[in-house]
Amino acid sequence: MGARYYGADSENGDRIDDPSEDALFMMISDLNDSDNTFVVVQPDEDDPVWFTSVAVLDEGGYEIVRRDTTRNEHEVTTSTSINDIARDLTIWMAARRISAC
């Protein structure tokens, strides 16, 4: 059974447990191209089976990685819309939480 709780950690050390869509939006909005370039969200367990990350791209926008080893999923996309990223990740993570219950 997977973890029921997960956390979002940014490069600068910020952490939010079980982040909402709004919290993800804020964390992604705080990213920059110097000292806070990524956010990683994953279950709070020793060997997480899924994770997602958002990283700032040099040319602008964001790279989004979604990986779930239990479903053989590994997707890398790009986007410039923080709203879309936060919404899509919230939906994607909710599907993992439901399957873990």
Side-chain angles (χ1 to χ4, degrees):
M1 178 164 95
R4 292 184 182 206
Y5 301 101
Y6 50 91
D9 297 285
S10 63
E11 182 178 16
N12 70 359
D14 287 344
R15 177 176 175 83
I16 297 177
D17 293 322
D18 294 324
S20 65
E21 182 176 337
D22 289 340
L24 286 173
F25 180 91
M26 289 180 1
M27 288 186 89
I28 297 166
S29 295
D30 288 343
L31 295 179
N32 59 57
D33 61 0
S34 61
D35 64 348
N36 192 32
T37 62
F38 65 86
V39 172
V40 175
V41 185
Q42 63 187 7
D44 288 332
E45 53 190 32
D46 290 337
D47 192 17
V49 296
W50 64 263
F51 79 89
T52 186
S53 65
V54 179
V56 175
L57 293 172
D58 290 337
E59 60 274 8
Y62 303 91
E63 177 184 80
I64 304 95
V65 176
R66 295 175 186 90
R67 181 142 175 92
D68 186 333
T69 59
T70 61
R71 299 177 187 200
N72 269 344
E73 291 180 10
H74 185 212
E75 180 181 353
V76 179
T77 60
T78 60
S79 179
T80 56
S81 171
I82 297 172
N83 279 326
D84 290 348
I85 296 168
R87 182 187 65 245
D88 292 348
L89 290 183
T90 301
I91 293 167
W92 189 83
M93 290 182 302
R96 270 102 208 117
R97 189 169 182 171
I98 290 168
S99 66
C101 295

